[in-house]
Amino acid sequence: MTSTFDPANQRVDALTRITRPPLKATGSGHQGLVELRSRWELVEAKPVFIARREEGADASWGGLDIRTLLRGEDSAGRFSVHDVVVAPGAGLPPHYQKDAYTYLLVCGGKFQVQVGNVIDQVAENDFAFIPPCTRFGFRNESNTPVSLIVIYSPAGAERAFDDAHAHWMSTHDEQESRYLQILEAYGFHFDSADLENDDRTNVAVDSIDFEFRDLGDLERLRESFARRPAVPRIVKTLTDEIEAVTETGKTFRKAVLTGDDSGGQAMVHLLASEKGLSAPPHHQSSEEEFFFVTRGEVGVVCGSESGLVGKGAFVFAPRNGTHAFNVAGAVECSQFFTLNSPAGHERALAVLRALNEAGAPQERKDAMTVAGGWIMH
């Protein structure tokens, strides 16, 4: 199935190589951030293709080596993304935000994380979801650095990190309290208030009973998701769990976050494959898609950029931006996280797989592709 000419897709893809400098806020701290978010919303999000973490902007301080991969200027204010290497002993004490969702992808090492009232050890391939008004903190108590991706929605944390980095570069101040003051100015709260979500981490929720069939179902499903509260999550995935599938020649797929859990904010999948896993060029008009490569090599297309990328690569395909991927099997096993926001197409994807297994007519599969929001090229 091939799409007709889509002016929105052409317009967004043309933005890929455009560089947007950070906007200047007229206010300071959180007040300035509120103003920036209203201005970011007026600018169309652009595709971002980063092959190595070093291409991100340095926002490090103390024991946190931070590379900002996506800013509000490029995501229409909907997301910021940060690649973080945490030195032994470093971290952030428990805190919360009143207006931001946080996603944590663990890429390497072992460290302690707190989500709500749950404190646990996490390692490579693990995931955490922290809705607003949920306590969150982490600390590397091991002897080796740990690697993680932190995603905030909406954007804005990058401004706090920029200020912390500026203070570090001018003073090399090692007192953690000074950096916490900077973060507090941007809406990070380090007090001990009782929070509505702290007792709900990993609470089981029933999946919404919804039969995905036709055009318009994606919007109706998202409306149903949005009526549910988001549930804090820590989700663990053992390497043995992945290898048990990939060593048989099959693709490992795990939904570590669904629309049922996130109140429709996002779906997050962990995928691993030795070869053959692919998605042809397409775009979606009502959702963003992110790729985070954590092992091996993956061929990716994002807007007008394409290439074979390895561990540490990051791709952001905004609404109407072309994207595709292919695991060619050049290395033993490739692995990556995907994040889609808002959630919903995971239900259509499940129906499509069932139709394929049942040998359904191509017209039926094409109709489900359209219903799921994919516009194929």
Side-chain angles (χ1 to χ4, degrees):
M1 186 171 66
T2 304
S3 70
T4 56
F5 175 75
D6 186 334
N9 172 234
Q10 301 292 320
R11 183 180 66 250
V12 170
D13 283 358
L15 298 173
T16 307
R17 295 185 177 90
I18 300 296
T19 300
R20 292 173 175 166
L23 295 175
K24 291 185 178 180
T26 56
S28 61
H30 194 262
Q31 178 184 355
L33 195 54
V34 171
E35 174 220 334
L36 283 171
R37 285 173 175 163
S38 66
R39 293 167 64 191
W40 284 335
E41 290 176 357
L42 303 177
V43 180
E44 192 158 39
K46 64 179 289 292
V48 175
F49 184 109
I50 292 180
R52 296 172 301 279
R53 78 180 299 272
E54 291 76 16
E55 296 177 20
D58 189 3
S60 305
W61 79 85
L64 300 177
D65 177 358
I66 301 175
R67 295 295 185 273
T68 296
L69 309 179
L70 183 70
R71 305 180 64 90
E73 283 79 9
D74 293 333
S75 68
R78 290 189 282 270
F79 292 92
S80 71
V81 177
H82 312 271
D83 185 314
V84 184
V85 176
V86 186
L92 281 179
H95 60 280
Y96 64 95
Q97 296 186 73
K98 294 181 179 179
D99 59 358
Y101 295 82
T102 306
Y103 308 81
L104 182 75
L105 314 177
V106 184
C107 303
K110 296 181 180 180
F111 63 106
Q112 181 174 281
V113 66
Q114 177 174 349
V115 176
N117 290 331
V118 175
I119 299 174
D120 206 348
Q121 287 286 119
V122 294
E124 183 177 356
N125 304 320
D126 293 343
F127 168 80
F129 171 61
I130 305 97
C133 295
T134 306
R135 202 164 302 283
F136 167 55
F138 59 90
R139 186 70 58 180
N140 179 10
E141 297 179 343
S142 74
N143 296 321
T144 58
V146 299
S147 175
L148 53 107
I149 297 289
V150 186
I151 305 156
Y152 294 98
S153 179
E158 70 271 34
R159 293 301 177 118
F161 295 168
D162 287 346
D163 281 5
H165 176 66
H167 179 71
W168 170 257
M169 294 300 292
S170 63
T171 67
H172 281 275
D173 185 352
E174 295 186 356
Q175 295 187 25
E176 184 179 68
S177 60
R178 177 63 187 113
Y179 298 96
L180 302 189
Q181 290 174 359
I182 293 171
L183 298 186
E184 284 180 327
Y186 286 88
F188 288 71
H189 299 273
F190 293 91
D191 59 59
S192 57
D194 292 331
L195 301 175
E196 58 192 71
N197 271 329
D198 280 353
D199 289 329
R200 302 184 66 240
T201 302
N202 290 338
V203 168
V205 295
D206 294 329
S207 179
I208 289 175
D209 185 11
F210 189 93
E211 187 175 3
F212 210 115
R213 298 175 60 91
D214 300 306
L215 191 66
D217 282 351
L218 186 61
E219 290 74 19
R220 286 186 283 273
L221 177 60
R222 286 172 174 167
E223 290 170 0
S224 297
F225 282 153
R227 291 192 287 269
R228 314 189 87 180
V231 178
R233 289 274 181 245
I234 298 176
V235 181
K236 296 188 174 184
T237 304
L238 298 176
T239 299
D240 289 349
E241 182 182 346
I242 297 173
E243 292 178 348
V245 175
T246 55
E247 286 181 354
T248 66
K250 297 180 180 179
T251 294
F252 175 85
R253 293 183 178 90
K254 183 174 182 176
V256 297
L257 184 72
T258 68
D260 291 299
D261 298 322
S262 70
Q265 287 294 314
M267 53 176 271
V268 180
H269 285 188
L270 173 59
L271 300 101
S273 178
E274 292 192 355
K275 59 181 179 180
L277 178 63
S278 66
H282 63 284
H283 66 277
Q284 291 125 293
S285 63
S286 62
E287 68 186 88
E288 339 279 348
E289 187 157 359
F290 301 71
F291 294 86
F292 303 91
V293 181
T294 59
R295 180 178 297 182
E297 294 180 330
V298 182
V300 292
V301 174
C302 178
S304 60
E305 295 277 358
S306 63
L308 185 66
V309 296
K311 182 176 180 178
F314 162 68
V315 166
F316 170 63
R319 300 170 192 186
N320 294 308
T322 299
H323 52 286
F325 69 86
N326 176 49
V327 178
V331 295
E332 185 174 344
C333 185
S334 297
Q335 190 172 303
F336 55 97
F337 283 95
T338 62
L339 184 153
N340 291 72
S341 179
H345 91 228
E346 68 265 38
R347 297 292 188 93
L349 197 58
V351 175
L352 269 175
R353 291 196 184 106
L355 291 173
N356 278 326
E357 292 174 0
Q362 188 61 45
E363 311 87 76
R364 178 71 183 110
K365 293 187 285 187
D366 287 349
M368 181 51 59
T369 298
V370 172
W374 296 284
I375 304 171
M376 309 308 292
H377 294 195

